[in-house]
Amino acid sequence: MKDLWSISTAEHTDGKETIMRRGNVYQIANGYMGYRGTLDEFTSEQLVGITLAGIFDRVGPAWREPVNAPNGGFTSVSLGGAELSALGNKVTRHRQTLRFGNALFERQTSFAFKGTTLTVRSARFLSAETPNLGVIRFSITCSRAATVTVRTGIDGNIWDLNGPHLLGLAATRRDSVLFVEGRTNESSKRVAVAETADIDFGKVTYESRGNRSLRVVHLRAEAGTTYTFHKYFAVFTDNDAVRGSVAEAAIETVLQARSLGYEDCLARHGARWQEKWNRSDVTIEGDDEAQLALRYSILQLLMVAPVKGSANSIPARALSGQVYKGAIFWDTEMFMFPFFIHTYPEKAVELMRYRIKTLDGARRKAKTEGRGYRGAFYAWESQETGDDACTYYNIGDPSTGRALRTYFRDKQVHISGDVAIAMWDYFRLTGDDSLLLEGGAEVILECARFYYSYAYYKDEKRRYEILDVIGPDEYHERVNNNAFTSMVAKETFTIAIATVNHLRRRHPKELRTLLKKLRIEGELPAFRDAARRLFIPGADAKTGIIEQFDGYLGLRESSVKELKARMIHPDEYLGAGQGLAVPTKIIKQADVVMMLNLFRTRFSAEIKRANWEYYEPRTEHGSSLSACAYAMVAAEFGNLDFAYKYFLKTAKIDLEAKYKVYVGSVFMGGSHPAANGGAWMTAVLGFGGVHADEKRVAINPRLCRKWRRLQFHLAYKGDDFRMNITKNSVTVASSRANTRVHAVLVAGKPVKCSPGRPVTVRYRQAR
Ligand code: BGC
């Protein structure tokens, strides 16, 4: 039977792009850091990166980006004086594997040199128990007696897009612990890496060259004997709340790990992973391809979920490197958050805490952007402070080398509503209002305040309008009455009022304090008014089409093919000032369809179908966020074959790594956690047909042709459910530990689910 819990490859070819892609596909992460899927002997040239979550730095006028730590995982081997590399010509066999069960990276490579075959095996993981820790087992076996030198330690010569970020990198050693520390260039934060190893063979000396601090093992290897050692490295920065210095914390962590030993560290790490999979795995019977791709997508999300208490979020390229400035976009709330809220609310809460933490940044942005607004205008590209990392000239034109003015930062105002919606969903779906009290209510009210100051009241029409924006489709900038944006803004007003009502009922004292702090009470009637009278473009009575924005339907018809044929440069950007898509109806990504998906209970299947059929042929799917929105809406109105095609495209994006590497002249290679979340949403919310709101969970399955059975867990209001769906039955198993009886709506039929008593409902799948 096919192994659906790992991927592996024998490929070890050179070439910057293949190395970059393998580095993404085989990466591991633990929320604190990501380690690219590069090999032990690789260095900055091969894009080795240990990207840290939540710590950023800027060098000169270049983009601020996340900091990469010195590589404590470095090991290289020489045979008879010749250094071995999987990229060299001595390789006879190579295989590298990523195991999903415990996020373990393994490699095995055999090299032949002067009649001797030397085989290197290594396994590494980033501890799910101790987030600062990485652990590696490394072994060598020679076919004949040979002279072998192993260099292992910390390589401070690291890959940076816009570095170097660490100044004064100094390598030292304390007994058997190697240590490298530097300070970030901008805010002088310390980044410290310690490494130790347990080596019981050969003769060990130490070598410190430039940024490298290495242990050199001189070995006369016997034929057929396997020499194994274990390596422990720890990264700490000034962002970590540690007693004493970060250096001491790093040293102590590796010493503790070493005394525990590799097997124990691995077992503890594995136990944590078991818990994660118990909550989040989805099984699909009848379709191995989909199963593997979906599980891989879930693995990616679980690996990059923020560490408890960190109030970090997940960047658009996760922890796969510094691409996209390590910035957090709407991707997190709209595409990743649903996975976490439905399977892992403790992680969803961190994502939301991040928005609470960066509220002041959003306030600063509101004040300084455009004509100056009130409330919270969240950063389009958000880093640690919430100030916007997105530049006004964000894309380079590859033909002219000139920077193009884009309005992502100042006009993509839907971001604030995306945040408010997720914040409210956290409360609705967990029933836990502590986050609202922690700052969530403040975020919501400030987002509503922002929209009120952004909106125009048209006296003659007696309505509010949201003008001069960019919707999700970035090829049409500065448009009026974008349906998606207006809908999100209107929802924000409704949520703000609901928040106040909830607090008034349950936490009147806290509400009074908050209203006073924000001096916002007098504005609430206006929010109520806007929640009623904000204009949303409606569906045309005859065609059912919702116009994406004012004037969209009058734009020139074209096709993606036609535009591509007219491109002068293969990486040309189709939007911005002179972009080829601008005067046409060609859109970059789901926009109206995104709205139909986000507010899926408010539109009929006919409207969904009409708009899907209209917009799909006009969509480039130039963003990895697009296909899953189309997949989910297609599942809703019953085009399951199409839904499946786009599901697979989304689920395989990081596995196959066939994505665009450049947009304009901007390097974009990295992983796609929003698509990973989109794959999960399509499987569970789309095909599984799950819809949860504050009242209950409803399931209305529409399994695609190949799927015989779909099983997954669902977290809802502090309880856990296991769903088992076939083409004609749904079993809801309410976990034994659940606290109460839940009413679940299965294929339109209300059923009572008691803890420990699975309920099966037969149904007929709609065609
Ligand atoms: C998309 C945005 C997305 C960003 C980060 C862009 O190409 O148009 O919607 O937020 O990528 O993934």
Side-chain angles (χ1 to χ4, degrees), residues 462-488:
R462 301 183 58 75
R463 69 188 194 195
Y464 296 87
E465 293 188 4
I466 305 267
L467 307 177
D468 195 9
V469 300
I470 306 184
D473 160 30
E474 293 181 338
Y475 289 165
H476 296 92
E477 303 190 315
R478 310 200 67 169
V479 300
N480 295 336
N481 294 313
N482 167 254
F484 178 88
T485 306
S486 300
M487 191 80 175
V488 158

PDB file of all heavy atoms in Angstrom, residues 462-488:
ATOM      1  N   ARG A 462     -29.411  58.282  -0.057  1.00  0.00           N
ATOM      2  CA  ARG A 462     -29.649  57.902   1.335  1.00  0.00           C
ATOM      3  C   ARG A 462     -28.947  56.590   1.684  1.00  0.00           C
ATOM      4  O   ARG A 462     -29.520  55.679   2.281  1.00  0.00           O
ATOM      5  CB  ARG A 462     -31.158  57.793   1.625  1.00  0.00           C
ATOM      6  CG  ARG A 462     -31.905  59.102   1.370  1.00  0.00           C
ATOM      7  CD  ARG A 462     -33.370  59.016   1.719  1.00  0.00           C
ATOM      8  NE  ARG A 462     -33.615  58.639   3.096  1.00  0.00           N
ATOM      9  CZ  ARG A 462     -33.454  59.446   4.140  1.00  0.00           C
ATOM     10  NH1 ARG A 462     -33.006  60.678   3.965  1.00  0.00           N
ATOM     11  NH2 ARG A 462     -33.720  59.027   5.356  1.00  0.00           N
ATOM     12  N   ARG A 463     -27.692  56.540   1.268  1.00  0.00           N
ATOM     13  CA  ARG A 463     -26.929  55.337   1.593  1.00  0.00           C
ATOM     14  C   ARG A 463     -25.435  55.661   1.728  1.00  0.00           C
ATOM     15  O   ARG A 463     -24.962  56.689   1.218  1.00  0.00           O
ATOM     16  CB  ARG A 463     -27.132  54.270   0.511  1.00  0.00           C
ATOM     17  CG  ARG A 463     -26.503  54.630  -0.823  1.00  0.00           C
ATOM     18  CD  ARG A 463     -26.891  53.635  -1.899  1.00  0.00           C
ATOM     19  NE  ARG A 463     -26.039  53.776  -3.082  1.00  0.00           N
ATOM     20  CZ  ARG A 463     -26.320  53.256  -4.254  1.00  0.00           C
ATOM     21  NH1 ARG A 463     -27.430  52.572  -4.436  1.00  0.00           N
ATOM     22  NH2 ARG A 463     -25.493  53.416  -5.274  1.00  0.00           N
ATOM     23  N   TYR A 464     -24.749  54.737   2.404  1.00  0.00           N
ATOM     24  CA  TYR A 464     -23.295  54.863   2.502  1.00  0.00           C
ATOM     25  C   TYR A 464     -22.680  54.085   1.351  1.00  0.00           C
ATOM     26  O   TYR A 464     -23.214  53.059   0.930  1.00  0.00           O
ATOM     27  CB  TYR A 464     -22.794  54.249   3.808  1.00  0.00           C
ATOM     28  CG  TYR A 464     -23.292  54.937   5.049  1.00  0.00           C
ATOM     29  CD1 TYR A 464     -24.515  54.566   5.621  1.00  0.00           C
ATOM     30  CD2 TYR A 464     -22.551  55.943   5.648  1.00  0.00           C
ATOM     31  CE1 TYR A 464     -24.973  55.192   6.771  1.00  0.00           C
ATOM     32  CE2 TYR A 464     -23.007  56.567   6.811  1.00  0.00           C
ATOM     33  CZ  TYR A 464     -24.218  56.184   7.358  1.00  0.00           C
ATOM     34  OH  TYR A 464     -24.660  56.806   8.490  1.00  0.00           O
ATOM     35  N   GLU A 465     -21.539  54.576   0.886  1.00  0.00           N
ATOM     36  CA  GLU A 465     -20.810  53.814  -0.129  1.00  0.00           C
ATOM     37  C   GLU A 465     -19.337  53.773   0.263  1.00  0.00           C
ATOM     38  O   GLU A 465     -18.828  54.713   0.875  1.00  0.00           O
ATOM     39  CB  GLU A 465     -20.962  54.462  -1.511  1.00  0.00           C
ATOM     40  CG  GLU A 465     -22.385  54.382  -2.030  1.00  0.00           C
ATOM     41  CD  GLU A 465     -22.520  54.841  -3.486  1.00  0.00           C
ATOM     42  OE1 GLU A 465     -21.482  55.160  -4.113  1.00  0.00           O
ATOM     43  OE2 GLU A 465     -23.660  54.874  -3.966  1.00  0.00           O
ATOM     44  N   ILE A 466     -18.685  52.674  -0.112  1.00  0.00           N
ATOM     45  CA  ILE A 466     -17.240  52.590   0.133  1.00  0.00           C
ATOM     46  C   ILE A 466     -16.577  52.783  -1.229  1.00  0.00           C
ATOM     47  O   ILE A 466     -16.748  51.948  -2.129  1.00  0.00           O
ATOM     48  CB  ILE A 466     -16.847  51.222   0.740  1.00  0.00           C
ATOM     49  CG1 ILE A 466     -17.643  50.947   2.010  1.00  0.00           C
ATOM     50  CG2 ILE A 466     -15.347  51.141   0.959  1.00  0.00           C
ATOM     51  CD1 ILE A 466     -17.031  51.359   3.311  1.00  0.00           C
ATOM     52  N   LEU A 467     -15.860  53.863  -1.358  1.00  0.00           N
ATOM     53  CA  LEU A 467     -15.298  54.239  -2.658  1.00  0.00           C
ATOM     54  C   LEU A 467     -13.767  54.181  -2.636  1.00  0.00           C
ATOM     55  O   LEU A 467     -13.156  54.261  -1.579  1.00  0.00           O
ATOM     56  CB  LEU A 467     -15.739  55.662  -3.005  1.00  0.00           C
ATOM     57  CG  LEU A 467     -17.244  55.941  -2.938  1.00  0.00           C
ATOM     58  CD1 LEU A 467     -17.531  57.408  -3.239  1.00  0.00           C
ATOM     59  CD2 LEU A 467     -18.008  55.040  -3.898  1.00  0.00           C
ATOM     60  N   ASP A 468     -13.219  54.074  -3.826  1.00  0.00           N
ATOM     61  CA  ASP A 468     -11.770  54.161  -4.011  1.00  0.00           C
ATOM     62  C   ASP A 468     -11.020  53.070  -3.234  1.00  0.00           C
ATOM     63  O   ASP A 468     -10.295  53.352  -2.280  1.00  0.00           O
ATOM     64  CB  ASP A 468     -11.289  55.562  -3.585  1.00  0.00           C
ATOM     65  CG  ASP A 468      -9.878  55.824  -4.088  1.00  0.00           C
ATOM     66  OD1 ASP A 468      -9.361  55.010  -4.884  1.00  0.00           O
ATOM     67  OD2 ASP A 468      -9.278  56.836  -3.667  1.00  0.00           O
ATOM     68  N   VAL A 469     -11.243  51.855  -3.634  1.00  0.00           N
ATOM     69  CA  VAL A 469     -10.613  50.718  -2.941  1.00  0.00           C
ATOM     70  C   VAL A 469     -10.030  49.725  -3.954  1.00  0.00           C
ATOM     71  O   VAL A 469     -10.257  49.842  -5.163  1.00  0.00           O
ATOM     72  CB  VAL A 469     -11.642  49.949  -2.069  1.00  0.00           C
ATOM     73  CG1 VAL A 469     -12.249  50.856  -1.021  1.00  0.00           C
ATOM     74  CG2 VAL A 469     -12.724  49.293  -2.920  1.00  0.00           C
ATOM     75  N   ILE A 470      -9.336  48.737  -3.429  1.00  0.00           N
ATOM     76  CA  ILE A 470      -8.980  47.552  -4.220  1.00  0.00           C
ATOM     77  C   ILE A 470      -9.636  46.370  -3.524  1.00  0.00           C
ATOM     78  O   ILE A 470      -9.499  46.215  -2.307  1.00  0.00           O
ATOM     79  CB  ILE A 470      -7.464  47.274  -4.237  1.00  0.00           C
ATOM     80  CG1 ILE A 470      -6.678  48.502  -4.683  1.00  0.00           C
ATOM     81  CG2 ILE A 470      -7.142  46.092  -5.148  1.00  0.00           C
ATOM     82  CD1 ILE A 470      -5.193  48.246  -4.814  1.00  0.00           C
ATOM     83  N   GLY A 471     -10.312  45.570  -4.280  1.00  0.00           N
ATOM     84  CA  GLY A 471     -10.872  44.329  -3.725  1.00  0.00           C
ATOM     85  C   GLY A 471      -9.791  43.259  -3.789  1.00  0.00           C
ATOM     86  O   GLY A 471      -8.624  43.552  -4.090  1.00  0.00           O
ATOM     87  N   PRO A 472     -10.158  42.012  -3.550  1.00  0.00           N
ATOM     88  CA  PRO A 472      -9.164  40.949  -3.650  1.00  0.00           C
ATOM     89  C   PRO A 472      -8.488  40.906  -5.027  1.00  0.00           C
ATOM     90  O   PRO A 472      -7.306  40.561  -5.135  1.00  0.00           O
ATOM     91  CB  PRO A 472      -9.990  39.689  -3.411  1.00  0.00           C
ATOM     92  CG  PRO A 472     -11.117  40.148  -2.534  1.00  0.00           C
ATOM     93  CD  PRO A 472     -11.441  41.532  -3.008  1.00  0.00           C
ATOM     94  N   ASP A 473      -9.219  41.246  -6.075  1.00  0.00           N
ATOM     95  CA  ASP A 473      -8.642  41.291  -7.421  1.00  0.00           C
ATOM     96  C   ASP A 473      -7.741  42.522  -7.535  1.00  0.00           C
ATOM     97  O   ASP A 473      -8.213  43.644  -7.696  1.00  0.00           O
ATOM     98  CB  ASP A 473      -9.785  41.373  -8.451  1.00  0.00           C
ATOM     99  CG  ASP A 473      -9.298  41.910  -9.794  1.00  0.00           C
ATOM    100  OD1 ASP A 473      -8.113  41.685 -10.130  1.00  0.00           O
ATOM    101  OD2 ASP A 473     -10.107  42.565 -10.491  1.00  0.00           O
ATOM    102  N   GLU A 474      -6.454  42.281  -7.475  1.00  0.00           N
ATOM    103  CA  GLU A 474      -5.512  43.413  -7.422  1.00  0.00           C
ATOM    104  C   GLU A 474      -5.235  44.049  -8.789  1.00  0.00           C
ATOM    105  O   GLU A 474      -4.467  45.004  -8.884  1.00  0.00           O
ATOM    106  CB  GLU A 474      -4.206  42.964  -6.777  1.00  0.00           C
ATOM    107  CG  GLU A 474      -4.391  42.613  -5.306  1.00  0.00           C
ATOM    108  CD  GLU A 474      -3.106  42.184  -4.603  1.00  0.00           C
ATOM    109  OE1 GLU A 474      -2.162  41.754  -5.294  1.00  0.00           O
ATOM    110  OE2 GLU A 474      -3.073  42.276  -3.361  1.00  0.00           O
ATOM    111  N   TYR A 475      -5.842  43.498  -9.836  1.00  0.00           N
ATOM    112  CA  TYR A 475      -5.599  44.097 -11.165  1.00  0.00           C
ATOM    113  C   TYR A 475      -6.466  45.329 -11.410  1.00  0.00           C
ATOM    114  O   TYR A 475      -6.260  46.043 -12.376  1.00  0.00           O
ATOM    115  CB  TYR A 475      -5.835  43.072 -12.269  1.00  0.00           C
ATOM    116  CG  TYR A 475      -4.779  41.978 -12.338  1.00  0.00           C
ATOM    117  CD1 TYR A 475      -5.014  40.814 -13.065  1.00  0.00           C
ATOM    118  CD2 TYR A 475      -3.555  42.113 -11.696  1.00  0.00           C
ATOM    119  CE1 TYR A 475      -4.060  39.809 -13.140  1.00  0.00           C
ATOM    120  CE2 TYR A 475      -2.602  41.109 -11.759  1.00  0.00           C
ATOM    121  CZ  TYR A 475      -2.849  39.960 -12.487  1.00  0.00           C
ATOM    122  OH  TYR A 475      -1.914  38.965 -12.555  1.00  0.00           O
ATOM    123  N   HIS A 476      -7.468  45.534 -10.576  1.00  0.00           N
ATOM    124  CA  HIS A 476      -8.311  46.719 -10.763  1.00  0.00           C
ATOM    125  C   HIS A 476      -8.257  47.566  -9.507  1.00  0.00           C
ATOM    126  O   HIS A 476      -8.873  47.225  -8.493  1.00  0.00           O
ATOM    127  CB  HIS A 476      -9.745  46.295 -11.125  1.00  0.00           C
ATOM    128  CG  HIS A 476      -9.793  45.577 -12.439  1.00  0.00           C
ATOM    129  ND1 HIS A 476      -9.699  44.208 -12.541  1.00  0.00           N
ATOM    130  CD2 HIS A 476      -9.871  46.061 -13.704  1.00  0.00           C
ATOM    131  CE1 HIS A 476      -9.728  43.868 -13.830  1.00  0.00           C
ATOM    132  NE2 HIS A 476      -9.829  44.977 -14.555  1.00  0.00           N
ATOM    133  N   GLU A 477      -7.493  48.617  -9.603  1.00  0.00           N
ATOM    134  CA  GLU A 477      -7.239  49.435  -8.422  1.00  0.00           C
ATOM    135  C   GLU A 477      -8.168  50.637  -8.381  1.00  0.00           C
ATOM    136  O   GLU A 477      -8.649  51.102  -9.406  1.00  0.00           O
ATOM    137  CB  GLU A 477      -5.781  49.900  -8.428  1.00  0.00           C
ATOM    138  CG  GLU A 477      -4.801  48.739  -8.477  1.00  0.00           C
ATOM    139  CD  GLU A 477      -3.360  49.153  -8.231  1.00  0.00           C
ATOM    140  OE1 GLU A 477      -2.911  50.169  -8.817  1.00  0.00           O
ATOM    141  OE2 GLU A 477      -2.685  48.487  -7.454  1.00  0.00           O
ATOM    142  N   ARG A 478      -8.378  51.131  -7.203  1.00  0.00           N
ATOM    143  CA  ARG A 478      -9.119  52.369  -6.969  1.00  0.00           C
ATOM    144  C   ARG A 478     -10.519  52.336  -7.584  1.00  0.00           C
ATOM    145  O   ARG A 478     -10.895  53.224  -8.366  1.00  0.00           O
ATOM    146  CB  ARG A 478      -8.312  53.549  -7.494  1.00  0.00           C
ATOM    147  CG  ARG A 478      -6.879  53.517  -6.990  1.00  0.00           C
ATOM    148  CD  ARG A 478      -6.208  54.825  -7.079  1.00  0.00           C
ATOM    149  NE  ARG A 478      -6.818  55.783  -6.166  1.00  0.00           N
ATOM    150  CZ  ARG A 478      -6.307  56.966  -5.884  1.00  0.00           C
ATOM    151  NH1 ARG A 478      -5.179  57.341  -6.452  1.00  0.00           N
ATOM    152  NH2 ARG A 478      -6.897  57.785  -5.053  1.00  0.00           N
ATOM    153  N   VAL A 479     -11.242  51.307  -7.230  1.00  0.00           N
ATOM    154  CA  VAL A 479     -12.591  51.155  -7.785  1.00  0.00           C
ATOM    155  C   VAL A 479     -13.632  51.526  -6.722  1.00  0.00           C
ATOM    156  O   VAL A 479     -13.322  51.573  -5.532  1.00  0.00           O
ATOM    157  CB  VAL A 479     -12.831  49.713  -8.292  1.00  0.00           C
ATOM    158  CG1 VAL A 479     -11.819  49.355  -9.377  1.00  0.00           C
ATOM    159  CG2 VAL A 479     -12.749  48.701  -7.147  1.00  0.00           C
ATOM    160  N   ASN A 480     -14.831  51.757  -7.158  1.00  0.00           N
ATOM    161  CA  ASN A 480     -15.908  52.140  -6.238  1.00  0.00           C
ATOM    162  C   ASN A 480     -16.879  50.983  -6.029  1.00  0.00           C
ATOM    163  O   ASN A 480     -17.166  50.227  -6.967  1.00  0.00           O
ATOM    164  CB  ASN A 480     -16.684  53.325  -6.801  1.00  0.00           C
ATOM    165  CG  ASN A 480     -15.808  54.570  -6.878  1.00  0.00           C
ATOM    166  OD1 ASN A 480     -14.823  54.695  -6.139  1.00  0.00           O
ATOM    167  ND2 ASN A 480     -16.151  55.485  -7.775  1.00  0.00           N
ATOM    168  N   ASN A 481     -17.405  50.891  -4.827  1.00  0.00           N
ATOM    169  CA  ASN A 481     -18.419  49.889  -4.504  1.00  0.00           C
ATOM    170  C   ASN A 481     -18.018  48.470  -4.908  1.00  0.00           C
ATOM    171  O   ASN A 481     -18.758  47.762  -5.589  1.00  0.00           O
ATOM    172  CB  ASN A 481     -19.758  50.262  -5.158  1.00  0.00           C
ATOM    173  CG  ASN A 481     -20.310  51.542  -4.553  1.00  0.00           C
ATOM    174  OD1 ASN A 481     -20.344  51.694  -3.333  1.00  0.00           O
ATOM    175  ND2 ASN A 481     -20.705  52.482  -5.403  1.00  0.00           N
ATOM    176  N   ASN A 482     -16.829  48.095  -4.491  1.00  0.00           N
ATOM    177  CA  ASN A 482     -16.402  46.705  -4.696  1.00  0.00           C
ATOM    178  C   ASN A 482     -17.255  45.832  -3.769  1.00  0.00           C
ATOM    179  O   ASN A 482     -17.288  46.049  -2.549  1.00  0.00           O
ATOM    180  CB  ASN A 482     -14.912  46.570  -4.355  1.00  0.00           C
ATOM    181  CG  ASN A 482     -14.464  45.121  -4.237  1.00  0.00           C
ATOM    182  OD1 ASN A 482     -14.227  44.628  -3.143  1.00  0.00           O
ATOM    183  ND2 ASN A 482     -14.378  44.436  -5.346  1.00  0.00           N
ATOM    184  N   ALA A 483     -17.932  44.859  -4.373  1.00  0.00           N
ATOM    185  CA  ALA A 483     -18.919  44.090  -3.600  1.00  0.00           C
ATOM    186  C   ALA A 483     -18.285  43.425  -2.382  1.00  0.00           C
ATOM    187  O   ALA A 483     -18.826  43.480  -1.273  1.00  0.00           O
ATOM    188  CB  ALA A 483     -19.574  43.053  -4.502  1.00  0.00           C
ATOM    189  N   PHE A 484     -17.140  42.810  -2.586  1.00  0.00           N
ATOM    190  CA  PHE A 484     -16.493  42.105  -1.472  1.00  0.00           C
ATOM    191  C   PHE A 484     -16.175  43.074  -0.335  1.00  0.00           C
ATOM    192  O   PHE A 484     -16.517  42.832   0.830  1.00  0.00           O
ATOM    193  CB  PHE A 484     -15.205  41.418  -1.958  1.00  0.00           C
ATOM    194  CG  PHE A 484     -14.466  40.720  -0.848  1.00  0.00           C
ATOM    195  CD1 PHE A 484     -14.754  39.409  -0.511  1.00  0.00           C
ATOM    196  CD2 PHE A 484     -13.488  41.384  -0.109  1.00  0.00           C
ATOM    197  CE1 PHE A 484     -14.094  38.774   0.533  1.00  0.00           C
ATOM    198  CE2 PHE A 484     -12.820  40.750   0.945  1.00  0.00           C
ATOM    199  CZ  PHE A 484     -13.129  39.432   1.252  1.00  0.00           C
ATOM    200  N   THR A 485     -15.521  44.169  -0.671  1.00  0.00           N
ATOM    201  CA  THR A 485     -15.096  45.120   0.362  1.00  0.00           C
ATOM    202  C   THR A 485     -16.298  45.698   1.106  1.00  0.00           C
ATOM    203  O   THR A 485     -16.296  45.795   2.341  1.00  0.00           O
ATOM    204  CB  THR A 485     -14.278  46.257  -0.289  1.00  0.00           C
ATOM    205  OG1 THR A 485     -13.215  45.666  -1.035  1.00  0.00           O
ATOM    206  CG2 THR A 485     -13.712  47.209   0.750  1.00  0.00           C
ATOM    207  N   SER A 486     -17.320  46.090   0.356  1.00  0.00           N
ATOM    208  CA  SER A 486     -18.480  46.710   0.998  1.00  0.00           C
ATOM    209  C   SER A 486     -19.181  45.718   1.911  1.00  0.00           C
ATOM    210  O   SER A 486     -19.628  46.058   3.009  1.00  0.00           O
ATOM    211  CB  SER A 486     -19.450  47.239  -0.055  1.00  0.00           C
ATOM    212  OG  SER A 486     -18.777  48.194  -0.846  1.00  0.00           O
ATOM    213  N   MET A 487     -19.248  44.491   1.466  1.00  0.00           N
ATOM    214  CA  MET A 487     -19.905  43.453   2.272  1.00  0.00           C
ATOM    215  C   MET A 487     -19.145  43.235   3.583  1.00  0.00           C
ATOM    216  O   MET A 487     -19.740  43.108   4.654  1.00  0.00           O
ATOM    217  CB  MET A 487     -19.921  42.175   1.424  1.00  0.00           C
ATOM    218  CG  MET A 487     -20.753  41.092   1.961  1.00  0.00           C
ATOM    219  SD  MET A 487     -22.502  41.341   1.578  1.00  0.00           S
ATOM    220  CE  MET A 487     -23.138  39.800   2.224  1.00  0.00           C
ATOM    221  N   VAL A 488     -17.830  43.207   3.480  1.00  0.00           N
ATOM    222  CA  VAL A 488     -16.989  42.999   4.654  1.00  0.00           C
ATOM    223  C   VAL A 488     -17.108  44.197   5.609  1.00  0.00           C
ATOM    224  O   VAL A 488     -17.183  44.038   6.835  1.00  0.00           O
ATOM    225  CB  VAL A 488     -15.528  42.767   4.181  1.00  0.00           C
ATOM    226  CG1 VAL A 488     -14.529  43.069   5.279  1.00  0.00           C
ATOM    227  CG2 VAL A 488     -15.352  41.337   3.681  1.00  0.00           C
TER     228      VAL A 488
END
